[in-house]
Amino acid sequence: MEGIIAIWQRDIIKFFRDRPRMVGSFSMPILFLVVFGIGMGGSMESLVSSGTNTENFNYTEFIFPGIVAMTLLMTSIFSSLSIIQDRDFGYMREILVSPVSRVNIAIGKMLGSASVAFLQGVMMFVLLPVLGIGIDLVSIFQILPVMFMIACAFSSLGLLVASLLNSMQGFQLVVNILVMPMIFLSGALFPLNNMPGWVSFLVTLNPVTYGVDLMKHIMIDVESLNAAVREEMGLNLTFFGQPVTMTGEVFFLLGFTALLILLATLSFRRANS
């Protein structure tokens, strides 16, 4: 347990000491908020209103949970780059030959990246008054543990990718190829309906899809929306034809995290063999 805390603490300290990283990580989410929320908001609201006879639909409110999920995804995965940096500077070799078990190393690195991503995601809530989005206190208490769970799932993915690669350039290339399709095929920025069959198949396999949908159900209160709006905005998510529940999404993300932690642990063992 001490090994997990030490590895986690080191990543948190590095994050708070790197001010440009703290500020720069907001640039992409804010850019997407401006382009999609403000730039396309009027057009999307007009389309939804004309198709559902609804006048109070707020497109910025629809994409904000997706933007937060995107922040969690990008920050947690790119935070895993520290594994390759630690390997280059010899720190990873030191902890791999230490008495700390490979499982604890993987969990410590995952929790470090997840905590950094969680803090970045929470900071996004500062924009709520600016965007004119209201969220009640109960929803905030519900969304925080969900955000941390989602950050753990995405961090475990970054951990696995970083454990399999040997260069920072290769990691950045693979992550960029991986992250952008996961964002665009998750429902974070636009509805997941009326898509070709093969795209819908990829959406179903995308773990980000379930994190985004889970956050939307908590932050938007999907059940109170008009049925036509839910259908138009792709909020009636299914898993190979079966309706997806919030409980099912939680178990899916927990299982996804556990599986990738196991695979990353095996990768660490291979690296030290």
Side-chain angles (χ1 to χ4, degrees):
M1 189 65 182
E2 292 181 359
I4 294 176
I5 295 175
I7 293 171
W8 169 82
Q9 187 179 37
R10 179 176 180 269
D11 285 347
I12 296 297
I13 293 174
K14 285 177 62 180
F15 169 68
F16 281 108
R17 288 180 177 177
D18 193 349
R19 299 291 176 83
R21 174 186 172 191
M22 292 175 63
V23 176
S25 58
F26 281 108
S27 58
M28 187 64 72
I30 292 177
L31 176 63
F32 274 89
L33 266 175
V34 171
V35 172
F36 285 89
I38 300 176
M40 296 179 57
S43 299
M44 290 297 298
E45 289 169 7
S46 297
L47 288 173
V48 173
S49 298
S50 62
T52 61
N53 295 320
T54 303
E55 297 181 356
N56 59 351
F57 177 74
N58 187 335
Y59 181 67
T60 304
E61 184 180 6
F62 169 79
I63 68 168
F64 184 78
I67 296 294
V68 175
M70 184 182 76
T71 304
L72 297 174
L73 172 65
M74 297 184 68
T75 306
S76 57
I77 289 187
F78 278 103
S79 293
S80 300
L81 179 63
S82 64
I83 294 174
I84 298 178
Q85 294 172 332
D86 290 341
R87 186 186 299 144
D88 291 341
F89 289 109
Y91 175 77
M92 185 58 68
R93 182 180 297 275
E94 292 179 6
I95 61 174
L96 284 173
V97 299
S98 70
V100 180
S101 70
R102 303 297 179 271
V103 175
N104 287 350
I105 293 172
I107 293 175
K109 294 300 293 184
M110 182 270 291
L111 289 178
S113 298
S115 298
V116 169
F118 174 76
L119 291 172
Q120 293 280 45
V122 170
M123 290 178 187
M124 292 295 297
F125 285 86
V126 175
L127 300 174
L128 285 174
V130 179
L131 299 171
I133 300 174
I135 180 171
D136 59 86
L137 195 60
V138 174
S139 296
I140 290 178
F141 281 115
Q142 289 177 336
I143 201 66
L144 291 179
V146 169
M147 285 172 59
F148 188 75
M149 179 190 67
I150 292 171
C152 288
F154 298 159
S155 296
S156 64
L157 176 60
L159 181 70
L160 177 61
V161 173
S163 68
L164 294 173
L165 299 175
N166 297 318
S167 70
M168 288 187 286
Q169 293 82 1
F171 177 85
Q172 292 172 343
L173 179 63
V174 170
V175 165
N176 282 324
I177 294 174
L178 187 66
V179 166
M180 298 313 294
M182 291 177 73
I183 292 173
F184 286 113
L185 295 177
S186 66
L189 303 173
F190 48 81
L192 294 175
N193 54 358
N194 300 322
M195 291 186 172
W198 65 273
V199 177
S200 298
F201 178 76
L202 295 177
V203 167
T204 302
L205 297 180
N206 183 8
V208 184
T209 301
Y210 305 102
V212 170
D213 187 70
L214 188 58
M215 291 187 64
K216 285 181 178 178
H217 275 76
I218 295 174
M219 295 181 68
I220 301 177
D221 190 14
V222 172
E223 301 304 322
S224 66
L225 293 177
N226 184 291
V229 174
R230 293 202 303 268
E231 184 66 29
E232 184 73 17
M233 299 311 296
L235 294 172
N236 296 324
L237 192 63
T238 60
F239 183 80
F240 295 110
Q242 298 298 318
V244 175
T245 64
M246 294 176 64
T247 303
E249 289 171 332
V250 168
F251 280 108
F252 175 86
L253 291 170
L254 290 175
F256 178 81
T257 304
L259 174 62
L260 266 65
I261 287 289
L262 175 62
L263 294 176
T265 301
L266 296 175
S267 180
F268 282 137
R269 286 181 176 174
R270 179 184 57 81
N272 196 44
S273 61

